[in-house]
């Protein structure tokens, strides 16, 4: 009898807990929903329209419907490849609403209200907003935590400003110019390998080469040596693990797939499958081993490369109890190493791959680059003096970054109510500028916006378009890419070296299919048919 009563009491307590938890969950959820509704109302009252959201999932069902209707395996070739604005296949819902609501509109993913901001005036305001109130989008950075931690790319506020101050000096122009030789050294083995590949094909003067993987290895080598002083062999494992991690994370559409409810209920770890956590730990220990080796090497030595700056910055910024100090020191170092590894090699490799793809379709520009390199560079090898004379190479790279910017978005979250010109963006709203769309807007670039015409940059960015602040391959404002000078230098050296040694066309096996994996990459790689010059 007594045990029966105990069971009844336990049952009652169980039900009270369940109902209490459900009630609490509902209160939290409805509060968050009300907040989203208020944000939307404040935006619409300022004249910002957008698709009407459903109650719980915002515009997600419509996004899914539009995405599923999009044909992604269309066949592209020649001029058709260049004219193809891939945002229409990668983010078709954004394109769809743009046609309906214009260049500034709002939409919802349930628990998040978004502002699509592709009007040049709004982009200009974003560029000029010198405030800590615009940060990186928190729900995305949480999902990228395993790959970028709380390093300079993903953090906000004073923590970000502090990290940026530490890292920025390493990328000042004078320092970057001193690294030209290092990029040449890293590229030489790849060029020799390609020459060997052609030679080994008896009776043939050409060879089809998948260049994107080789370029990734080169830029990994470059960033490893330039910033961390270690050779690619040490960094190789870190890079390949980071790449696996990137693929695992972007298996889900990290930007738009969820309405945010699952994050509230399950937390963000839901996305971190066992595999992701394992990779994360492995990468952390690999980086930490490198740091420890480095600390031993540097006793009494004062090499001020990036790793050294990060180590010193971490030392000076981590205070607190000994235990806290050790762990925050470690995460400061590991997170920033991961961030630089990632930001510094994927972007450049993808940009050069797209550039070779476009040059393969435009052999006359290969000839112009070749002539320029021969004119200014001894033995066709750029150096600290000749690099700034390579105007044609620069124009071609700028045109590549216009048509195929590796980063698809500039994204910000209003951490407080923030004024952008006449528009007040309510706290909590996520702002998205779709870079490739901005770069192909005929009102900004003219009727030939979808054509490959590097000559538009012949008098610099300011003369290339109507609103120069709309050329944003390296992002904008206070969060402008830290490695912009370094990236441009690396691209110039690699393109000059490759084009001066090889002529190339697209291989018939090339399949044009840009895919979004944090960056917009060639899904099946870039395969070119090379002939040594
Ligand atoms: C073609 C090459 C590159 C492209 C297209 C590129 C593009 C970008 C973009 C779009 C952003 C975001 C900016 C924003 O939110 O406004 C960014 C941030 C960043 N990039 Fe790059 N990047 C390139 C190369 C590099 C290299 C070589 C490095 C370092 C070695 C680097 C380091 C960074 C860092 C640290 C940030 C974060 C800056 C911050 O939030 O304060 N990038 N990059």
């Amino acid at each position: 009898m007594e045990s029966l009563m105990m069971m009844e009491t336990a049952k009652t307590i169980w039900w009270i807990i369940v109902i209490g938890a459900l009630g609490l969950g509902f209160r939290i959820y409805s509060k968050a929903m009300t907040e989203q509704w208020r944000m939307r109302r404040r935006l619409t009252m300022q004249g910002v329209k957008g698709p009407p959201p459903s109650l719980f999932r915002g515009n997600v069902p419509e996004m899914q419907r539009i995405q599923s209707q999009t044909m992604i395996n269309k066949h592209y070739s020649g001029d058709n490849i260049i004219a193809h604005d891939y945002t229409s296949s990668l983010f078709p819902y954004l394109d769809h609403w743009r046609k309906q609501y214009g260049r500034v509109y709002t939409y919802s993913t349930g628990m998040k209200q978004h502002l699509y901001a592709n009007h040049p005036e709004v982009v200009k305001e974003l560029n000029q907003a010198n405030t800590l109130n615009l940060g990186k989008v928190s729900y995305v950075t949480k999902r990228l935590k395993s790959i970028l931690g709380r390093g300079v790319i993903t953090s906000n506020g004073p923590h970000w400003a502090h990290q940026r101050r530490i890292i920025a000096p390493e990328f000042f122009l004078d320092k970057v110019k001193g690294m030209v030789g290092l990029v040449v050294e890293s590229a030489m083995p790849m060029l020799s390998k390609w020459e060997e590949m052609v030679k080994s094909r008896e009776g043939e003067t050409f060879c089809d080469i998948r260049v994107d993987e080789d370029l990734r290895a080169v830029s990994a080598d470059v960033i490893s040596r330039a910033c961390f002083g270690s050779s690619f062999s040490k960094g190789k494992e870190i890079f390949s693990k980071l790449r696996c991690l990137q693929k695992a994370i972007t298996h889900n559409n990290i930007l738009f797939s969820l309405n945010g409810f699952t994050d509230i209920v399950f937390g963000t770890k839901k996305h971190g499958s066992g595999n992701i956590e394992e990779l994360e730990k492995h990468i952390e220990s690999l980086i930490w081993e490198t740091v420890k080796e480095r600390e031993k090497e540097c006793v009494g030595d004062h090499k001020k490369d990036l790793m050294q700056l990060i180590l010193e910055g971490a030392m000076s910024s981590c205070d607190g109890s000994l235990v806290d100090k050790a762990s925050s020191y470690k995460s400061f170092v590991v997170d920033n190493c991961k961030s630089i590894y990632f930001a510094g090699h994927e972007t450049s490799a993808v940009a050069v791959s797209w550039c070779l793809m476009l040059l393969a379709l435009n052999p006359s520009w290969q000839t112009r680059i070749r002539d320029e390199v021969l004119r200014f560079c001894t033995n066709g090898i750029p150096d600290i003096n000749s690099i700034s004379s390579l105007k044609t190479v620069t124009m071609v790279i700028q045109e590549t970054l216009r048509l195929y910017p590796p980063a698809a978005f500039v994204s910000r979250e209003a951490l407080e109510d923030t004024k952008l010109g006449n528009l007040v963006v309510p706290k909590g709203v996520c702002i998205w500028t779709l870079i490739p769309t901005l770069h192909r807007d005929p009102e900004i670039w003219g009727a030939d916006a979808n054509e490959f015409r590097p000559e538009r940059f012949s008098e610099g960015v300011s003369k290339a378009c109507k609103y120069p602040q709309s050329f944003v391959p390296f992002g904008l404002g206070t969060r402008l890419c830290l490695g912009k000078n370094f990236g441009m230098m690396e691209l110039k050296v690699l393109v000059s070296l490759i084009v001066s040694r090889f002529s190339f066309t697209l291989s018939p096996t090339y399949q044009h299919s840009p895919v979004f994996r944090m960056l917009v990459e060639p899904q099946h790689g870039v395969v070119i048919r090379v002939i040594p010059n």
Side-chain angles (χ1 to χ4, degrees):
M1 182 70 182
E2 207 172 292
S3 65
L4 208 68
M5 269 178 68
M6 272 173 72
M7 268 176 69
E8 281 303 312
T9 317
K11 247 188 187 172
T12 315
I13 294 173
W14 165 246
W15 276 112
I16 291 173
I17 292 172
V18 169
I19 292 168
L22 281 175
L24 187 69
F26 182 74
R27 269 192 66 179
I28 296 173
Y29 189 60
S30 54
K31 190 168 168 245
M33 289 298 289
T34 314
E35 267 171 31
Q36 297 307 311
W37 181 80
R38 279 210 194 104
M39 286 178 207
R40 183 180 162 83
R41 191 152 173 272
R42 286 186 62 194
L43 286 170
T44 48
M45 280 172 67
Q46 297 176 75
V48 179
K49 298 196 175 66
S54 65
L55 185 59
F56 294 111
R57 301 186 64 215
N59 301 105
V60 173
E62 195 181 351
M63 291 160 103
Q64 287 168 338
R65 183 180 55 76
I66 297 173
Q67 183 89 62
S68 67
Q69 283 168 356
T70 307
M71 262 176 43
I72 34 181
N73 282 329
K74 214 171 143 186
H75 184 72
Y76 296 98
S77 63
D79 285 349
N80 189 259
I81 291 179
I82 299 171
H84 165 231
D85 174 359
Y86 56 76
T87 52
S88 58
S89 40
L90 296 189
F91 314 107
Y93 32 86
L94 296 180
D95 217 42
H96 176 84
W97 292 326
R98 182 178 194 269
K99 287 179 189 131
Q100 226 174 328
Y101 301 102
R103 293 187 283 185
V104 178
Y105 61 78
T106 184
Y107 64 97
S108 154
T109 45
M111 301 297 285
K112 277 285 166 203
Q113 194 63 38
H114 305 268
L115 180 74
Y116 174 93
N118 258 54
H119 193 288
E121 287 301 333
V122 181
V123 175
K124 186 171 147 200
E125 293 294 340
L126 271 172
N127 221 329
Q128 289 169 353
N130 187 6
T131 168
L132 290 180
N133 289 345
L134 287 176
K136 287 294 167 110
V137 173
S138 53
Y139 79 95
V140 174
T141 55
K142 275 183 201 154
R143 286 171 198 179
L144 297 180
K145 193 167 173 287
S146 48
I147 198 160
L148 299 173
R150 284 189 67 233
V152 66
I153 300 181
T154 43
S155 57
N156 287 330
H159 185 55
W160 160 75
H162 174 69
Q163 298 182 82
R164 186 153 173 130
R165 259 196 310 277
I166 290 171
I167 298 170
E170 191 65 10
F171 295 109
F172 289 163
L173 199 56
D174 54 336
K175 273 222 160 182
V176 163
K177 276 192 175 170
M179 297 177 188
V180 173
L182 188 148
V183 180
V184 174
E185 249 173 67
S186 296
M188 282 307 178
M190 176 187 75
L191 301 174
S192 309
K193 178 183 146 188
W194 290 3
E195 275 160 359
E196 283 308 314
M197 284 171 80
V198 181
K199 272 191 208 151
S200 67
R201 284 170 60 98
E202 276 168 32
E204 305 270 22
T205 51
F206 65 83
C207 179
D208 284 357
I209 299 178
R210 181 171 168 166
V211 292
D212 52 302
E213 289 299 342
D214 286 352
L215 288 166
R216 199 167 268 122
V218 170
S219 62
D221 192 35
V222 168
I223 195 72
S224 199
R225 289 207 241 172
C227 298
F228 305 102
S230 64
S231 70
F232 180 45
S233 55
K234 269 190 194 161
K236 196 175 174 183
E237 211 180 340
I238 299 176
F239 287 118
S240 80
K241 296 278 175 245
L242 272 175
R243 183 129 183 89
C244 294
L245 192 54
Q246 180 196 356
K247 281 187 178 158
I249 290 173
T250 51
H251 187 67
N252 299 317
N253 186 337
I254 49 161
L255 298 181
F256 304 110
S257 59
L258 288 159
N259 63 9
F261 178 63
T262 40
D263 283 357
I264 286 182
V265 178
F266 301 110
T268 46
K269 274 287 168 196
K270 180 183 169 292
H271 305 279
S273 64
N275 187 26
I276 291 179
E277 277 173 30
E278 242 170 63
L279 279 167
E280 192 184 346
K281 281 199 192 119
H282 195 158
I283 293 167
E284 185 181 307
S285 63
L286 285 172
I287 293 180
W288 198 238
E289 274 166 31
T290 319
V291 169
K292 289 286 142 197
E293 276 171 31
R294 173 53 182 250
E295 280 176 347
K296 274 188 226 146
E297 276 171 26
C298 283
V299 178
D301 184 357
H302 292 287
K303 270 196 272 173
K304 291 267 182 189
D305 58 14
L306 188 64
M307 175 72 98
Q308 193 60 27
L309 285 172
I310 292 178
L311 292 175
E312 286 175 11
M315 270 297 185
S316 68
S317 68
C318 303
D319 40 23
S321 76
L322 264 183
V323 179
D324 285 353
K325 189 170 173 165
S327 72
S328 60
Y329 171 67
K330 188 171 176 179
S331 55
F332 187 108
V333 174
V334 169
D335 290 354
N336 279 303
C337 286
K338 280 201 287 191
S339 302
I340 300 293
Y341 266 126
F342 179 78
H345 92 288
E346 287 282 341
T347 40
S348 312
V350 169
V352 181
S353 304
W354 288 129
C355 187
L356 297 185
M357 185 276 283
L358 289 167
L359 280 171
L361 292 169
N362 292 277
S364 66
W365 282 96
Q366 293 181 37
T367 312
R368 290 168 80 160
I369 288 180
R370 223 164 275 138
D371 292 347
E372 184 176 82
V373 174
L374 280 179
R375 191 165 150 222
F376 292 106
C377 309
T378 320
N379 298 328
I381 298 176
D383 60 22
I384 187 167
N385 301 314
S386 57
I387 192 88
S388 44
S389 310
L390 303 175
K391 303 283 178 228
T392 310
V393 181
T394 308
M395 280 153 52
V396 167
I397 289 168
Q398 284 170 324
E399 185 68 339
T400 303
L401 293 174
R402 183 183 74 83
L403 289 167
Y404 283 86
F409 295 97
V410 171
S411 56
R412 300 285 186 270
E413 180 167 337
L415 305 175
E416 297 295 335
D417 282 4
T418 307
K419 217 165 174 296
L420 293 178
N422 295 326
L423 183 69
V424 177
V425 181
K427 178 181 172 183
V429 168
C430 304
I431 307 168
W432 298 92
T433 294
L434 199 49
I435 304 175
T437 306
L438 195 67
H439 285 181
R440 287 172 182 259
D441 188 333
E443 251 190 68
I444 300 171
W445 299 93
D448 60 1
N450 277 328
E451 290 166 32
F452 178 78
R453 290 193 58 238
E455 63 269 34
R456 74 176 85 237
F457 287 101
S458 57
E459 289 176 68
V461 177
S462 59
K463 298 272 167 53
C465 59
K466 201 164 154 195
Y467 302 93
Q469 300 209 38
S470 301
F471 183 58
V472 290
F474 293 98
L476 47 78
T478 49
R479 307 283 308 230
L480 182 75
C481 172
L482 261 175
K484 182 182 172 195
N485 295 329
F486 186 87
M488 274 307 282
M489 177 276 287
E490 187 182 353
L491 262 54
K492 280 161 82 172
V493 173
L494 292 176
V495 171
S496 309
L497 286 173
I498 295 168
V499 177
S500 60
R501 278 160 181 72
F502 301 97
S503 301
F504 46 93
T505 51
L506 270 186
S507 157
T509 60
Y510 173 68
Q511 230 184 312
H512 187 65
S513 179
V515 66
F516 180 67
R517 293 185 188 129
M518 289 172 72
L519 299 177
V520 177
E521 309 180 351
Q523 184 178 9
H524 309 292
V526 169
V527 192
I528 55 174
R529 179 157 288 185
V530 302
I531 304 173
N533 291 326

